[in-house]
Each structure stands twice: as structure tokens, then as C-alpha cells.
Amino acid sequence: MAQTQIQAAREGRLTAEMERVAERENRDPEFVREQVADGQAVIPANVNHDALDAMVIGREFATKVNANIGNSETTSDLETELEKLHTAVHYGADTVMDLGTGSDLDEIREAHVEHSPVPLGTVPLYEAVKQAGSPEDITKDLLLEIVEKQAEQGVDYMTIHAGILAEHLPLTDGRKTGIVSRGGSIMAKWMEENGEQNPFYQVFPEICEIFAAHDVTFSLGDSLRPGCLADACDEAQYAELDTLGELTRVGWDHGVQVMVEGPGHVPMHKVAENVERQQEVCDGAPFYVLGPLVTDIAPGYDHITSAIGAAMAARAGAAMLCYVTPKEHLGLPEEEDVRDGLAAYRIAAHAGDVGNERPGARDWDDALSEARYEFDWREQFDLALDPDRARSFHDQTLPGDNYKEARFCSMCGAEFCSMRIDQDAREDGEMKAIEGKERTDLESSPAAEVNRPPVGTHESGELPPMADHDHTDPLEETGDD
Ligand code: SF4
């Protein structure tokens, strides 16, 4: 049987995936191995996922971003799902979760594995509900059957809702918004109807064996995450976290990689507390947070409310951020929402890395600022997180080619352009001119791949036709605008 990454690491063996990760992060392969061996980082890499370009998730590495895709009862076809995968990778998702609950789940999942250069995550409970017909009719055998099937299909990590226990349920009684995790609400219903402990918890050792056989990484679900600020950091949330810590160690004992999911909705002054507590309770296992949203008042803008919390979480040590789109709480995201959500989260992740002084992380900022100060508009667009948006916003008011050399833009206008005035003053006063000054060389930057443009972090030759990591707009490429 093939070894998992953590088993190999513990034996002192460097895998091809560890070498690749070290290259992408600009780190010593031995450091990667140590982090994986100690459970402080994971390399989600199912042995059956041939198209994967390995990546690492851990607080000592560049902060990663996950995008959720997947169909629903109302919208579902293979081509659309592959386009969603492409869009997510194009705009810089480091991993993708297929949360599909519609039809053709196997066909879509297999196509995702076949084409995805990034790790693919799933939530097996969703398929179990579909097959069983209702939450209470799910059986332990069905859960194991689905987990094993998805492991064989090549899924790299799975959210397993094993941490919510029967004794936790009364702790949610006083909450404003109850249990907001889909998986959590399903498990709570199952326990209430069947009068038994959480079935995932009951079969957890068997799941570990399946995961070990295929090197599937646990993403331990936070079923009791707060759904509003008022419920943040309550007894229920932290009781489940204690169970997640226990399950983390069970996973490690079986030679399985583990990361832990986190909230949710958390006010700013409690974000760091959440990260620190998870790191302590789960012995440093990578923390994978959804947002958190730092205020509840802005449906329609929750990519912003959550990116604020995500940046703070990254700064405090979260390893991966699950994106939130503007459609959160309102509807299924579409292409433009995916783009906006990923932009917000790439900003949060990068800001966290700069704040944590990751080697070379700020070089990208410096290179863009130098281009900006020199009025090198084309270079500024090329270096932008979303070059197409930067270019189109500029060109909305000053579209002509001559304005690509202009020493102003339409924001302040020629007369009041402060950078132009500043430069003129410096030159008049014989202060150092900008010409001839060396620009930051991103090619030789020690930054990890995700902290260098272009935003898409993966070779995408394996993706379907839409895939391209240059800066053209994928919508234009397909004529679908
Ligand atoms: S006009 Fe204002 S915004 Fe535009 S380049 Fe000059 S200083 Fe910057």
C-alpha cells in the first residue's frame, strides 16, 4: 500500500510532492518534510489524482485560498461545472471544493479530478443525503461506502462532520441562528431522530483507514460554527473544537493528514483568539477558515465583510481561507461572483503574508508601486491582481493609447496629479530622479508562487479549453460574456 505524505515524512523520506511544494514555496525540502511529519502542514494529494500540481497548506507557508464550486438541484451540467473549475483556477484558487448536490455527481467529480491541477475537496455527507432521501435515513455503511468511492475517484480532501456530538446539541439552544452549517444541521437531525451518537464519529477509525489507503486529507468540519456575531466563540463552538482536537490526533495516529475547519461569523476582536485557540487545541494542525465575516449587516457585500476577517485570520496563523462571494446568504454564485470572491480572498491572503513578513511577499507590492510612480501604466496593469479589471477601469475614461504614457489619470486629472507634481518638484530641486532607478525583480524574488503575479498559481495545461493563465479574460476566450 502506498504511503501517505505524513507517513513518508515521518520516516524521513522526501516525496516528489514535497520536492515540488518546496520549489513552489521557495523553501528547503527538508523543512517541508518536517512540517508535514509534525502535522503542521498538509499536502492534499490523493494517489489517484494524476493531474495534480502539489501544493502545501500550513501556517509556515504562503496563505492559500479555496473556492467552492458545484451544482445544485436547479442548475447542473458537466460543461458548466468544468467552466466553474476553470474560472476558479484562473482567478487564483489554490484548492477547489465541489459542493455539488444536483445530478450526475459521479460524472462531474471524476471530470474535476481528471482536469484539476489543484487539490479537490468534497463533502461526502451531501451525497449521502441524496442517496438516503432524508438525513435520518443515512446509515453508517452508506457513509463509508460514499467516502470510499470518492477516495477511489481521487478526491484529495474531504470535509467530515465528525466533531458535532449529541451532547453538544443542547448548547446551541440559546443561539440567535442555531446550527448554520449544512452538514451540522444534517448530523443534528440524524442524532435527534436516531437517538445515537454522530455516525461519522462512530465510524471515524474506519474512515481513517480508507483515507490512509488513498492519502485523502481530513478537513474536519466545524458543524457548530457561529452563524452570526452573537453566537461567536460560544460554548457549542468551543465544545466541538475540543472534539476536533481529539479527532486530529486519531487521524495522525492512523497516518492520515489533517486540517481543521473554522468559523464563520466572528467580530474583529475575537478573530485572533479563534486561531490561537484552534492551534492550541489541535496541536498546530492547519486551520482552514471560512471568512470569518466580521459583521452581519452587509448581504450583497459579504466577500468584503469576510475578507476583512480572513486577512486578520491569515495574520494570526490561519493556513487556508475559504472564499466567500457577494452572493453569500443570497444565492448560488455565478462567474462574476467567483471572480469578485477570489479577488477579495487573494488580497486577504497576500495581505496576511505581507503582514507576517513571509520571504519576498512584499516584492509584488513594491514592483507595482514602482510601475505606478513611473506612470508605466501597461506594467501596472500587468502586475495587478486582476489585470483585466485594472485596465478596463483606467480605459473607461482615458481609452487612447497616448494615455498609456500619460503622467496622470482621470482621478485627479493632469493639473492635480500629485505624483506628477512630486516628481517635477524633485527634478526641479535636483533631487534623485526616478529614471535609472532599479525596479524590484520579481523573477529573482524569494516569494512563494502565490505571492507573485500572475494570480493564477498553477500550470493549467490539463484544464479544459477555457484554461489559460495569461491575463486574458476567460469570458472573452469563450465568447461568453
Ligand atoms: S492623477 Fe491622481 S490617481 Fe492618477 S496617477 Fe496621478 S496621483 Fe495617481
Side-chain angles (χ1 to χ4, degrees):
M1 194 165 67
Q3 279 186 318
T4 64
Q5 296 292 328
I6 190 171
Q7 287 168 337
R10 285 172 181 164
E11 288 184 9
R13 188 168 71 83
L14 274 177
T15 63
E17 288 79 12
M18 291 172 206
E19 302 266 18
R20 172 65 182 135
V21 158
E23 180 188 14
R24 298 181 73 181
E25 300 274 336
N26 253 319
R27 304 300 284 267
D28 179 1
E30 188 55 25
F31 177 72
V32 174
R33 187 196 64 73
E34 283 168 12
Q35 289 286 302
V36 173
D38 292 343
Q40 307 301 291
V42 295
I43 301 177
N46 187 310
V47 293
N48 295 327
H49 188 173
D50 296 334
L52 182 72
D53 186 9
M55 52 79 75
V56 67
I57 302 166
R59 70 178 176 282
E60 294 297 328
F61 300 96
T63 308
K64 305 305 188 300
V65 172
N66 170 72
N68 293 332
I69 58 172
N71 61 10
S72 69
E73 298 287 354
T74 49
T75 60
S76 177
D77 73 76
L78 180 59
E79 198 181 331
T80 306
E81 292 312 306
L82 284 175
E83 283 181 10
K84 286 182 191 169
L85 170 66
H86 162 73
T87 302
V89 174
H90 181 88
Y91 287 115
D94 297 297
T95 75
V96 166
M97 289 197 81
D98 176 357
L99 305 186
T101 55
S103 54
D104 305 324
L105 292 178
D106 284 320
E107 186 191 8
I108 290 168
R109 190 179 308 116
E110 283 164 6
H112 279 160
V113 171
E114 184 188 344
H115 292 292
S116 180
V118 304
L120 182 74
T122 58
V123 184
L125 185 55
Y126 298 167
E127 189 177 355
V129 177
K130 273 191 73 77
Q131 281 200 28
S134 62
E136 60 272 26
D137 292 330
I138 293 170
T139 64
K140 286 169 255 180
D141 284 345
L142 178 63
L143 290 177
L144 289 171
E145 194 183 299
I146 288 171
V147 164
E148 183 152 33
K149 179 188 70 176
Q150 295 194 4
E152 282 168 2
Q153 287 171 330
V155 171
D156 301 290
Y157 67 96
M158 294 186 207
T159 296
I160 299 294
H161 296 87
I164 174 175
L165 301 183
E167 51 268 39
H168 298 156
L169 302 185
L171 303 177
T172 65
D173 286 349
R175 281 184 160 188
K176 271 197 197 300
T177 56
I179 299 173
V180 298
S181 148
R182 271 195 272 183
S185 63
I186 292 165
M187 283 294 94
K189 172 107 169 124
W190 190 95
M191 288 186 270
E192 276 158 7
E193 295 291 329
N194 290 284
E196 271 187 54
Q197 187 54 282
N198 179 328
F200 268 131
Y201 186 80
Q202 293 187 54
V203 298
F204 198 76
E206 287 96 315
I207 296 174
C208 288
E209 283 164 27
I210 296 169
F211 277 21
H214 301 84
D215 201 0
V216 178
T217 298
F218 272 112
S219 185
L220 294 175
D222 59 329
S223 305
L224 292 176
R225 66 168 168 265
C228 63
L229 297 191
D231 296 343
C233 310
D234 69 356
E235 221 184 327
Q237 183 196 329
Y238 283 155
E240 183 190 34
L241 181 60
D242 289 341
T243 308
L244 298 181
E246 170 200 323
L247 296 172
T248 297
R249 290 179 279 279
V250 175
W252 285 343
D253 287 346
H254 284 79
V256 178
Q257 304 187 89
V258 181
M259 59 182 169
V260 178
E261 296 181 12
H265 290 240
V266 179
M268 289 173 83
H269 60 290
K270 293 185 179 174
V271 172
E273 170 192 318
N274 268 263
V275 179
E276 286 156 15
R277 186 155 177 156
Q278 180 276 341
Q279 287 289 283
E280 191 185 330
V281 170
C282 301
D283 296 338
F287 201 25
Y288 166 27
V289 292
L290 175 72
L293 287 72
V294 295
T295 174
D296 302 336
I297 62 162
Y301 296 93
D302 277 332
H303 59 316
I304 297 172
T305 62
S306 64
I308 293 168
M312 296 178 76
R315 174 81 176 88
M320 184 156 80
L321 314 172
C322 181
Y323 90 159
V324 171
T325 76
K327 285 278 176 62
E328 184 74 10
H329 301 113
L330 302 171
L332 196 65
E334 292 175 5
E335 189 127 4
E336 198 62 10
D337 307 312
V338 171
R339 178 183 187 169
D340 288 345
L342 272 167
Y345 273 70
R346 287 255 57 108
I347 294 165
H350 179 73
D353 289 341
V354 171
N356 286 329
E357 299 184 284
R358 294 266 175 260
R362 213 195 65 195
D363 288 349
W364 186 0
D365 302 71
D366 291 349
L368 190 142
S369 294
E370 288 154 10
R372 176 176 286 155
Y373 191 64
E374 293 181 29
F375 295 106
D376 187 344
W377 291 101
R378 291 185 181 88
E379 179 74 355
Q380 190 184 159
F381 302 151
D382 284 346
L383 288 173
L385 180 86
D386 186 340
D388 299 313
R389 179 159 297 183
R391 191 178 293 110
S392 83
F393 279 15
H394 175 270
D395 290 359
Q396 269 172 16
T397 44
L398 298 175
D401 247 15
N402 53 321
Y403 292 116
K404 302 295 187 301
E405 320 288 332
R407 297 178 74 206
F408 65 95
C409 73
S410 62
M411 184 171 171
C412 322
E415 192 183 351
F416 288 96
C417 176
S418 56
M419 290 201 304
R420 197 263 308 154
I421 295 168
D422 177 69
Q423 285 172 23
D424 289 349
R426 288 171 189 273
E427 283 162 14
D428 288 346
E430 295 185 2
M431 294 173 71
K432 62 180 178 182
I434 52 170
E435 281 198 14
K437 269 169 69 176
E438 273 193 26
R439 284 204 193 164
T440 302
D441 177 13
L442 287 176
E443 290 294 317
S444 61
S445 168
E449 266 185 31
V450 296
N451 278 322
R452 276 183 283 185
V455 67
T457 57
H458 305 273
E459 293 299 327
S460 52
E462 298 297 322
L463 277 169
M466 288 177 73
D468 192 345
H469 272 235
D470 64 17
H471 282 140
T472 52
D473 187 331
L475 301 180
E476 284 175 11
E477 285 178 294
T478 57
D480 177 14
D481 59 357

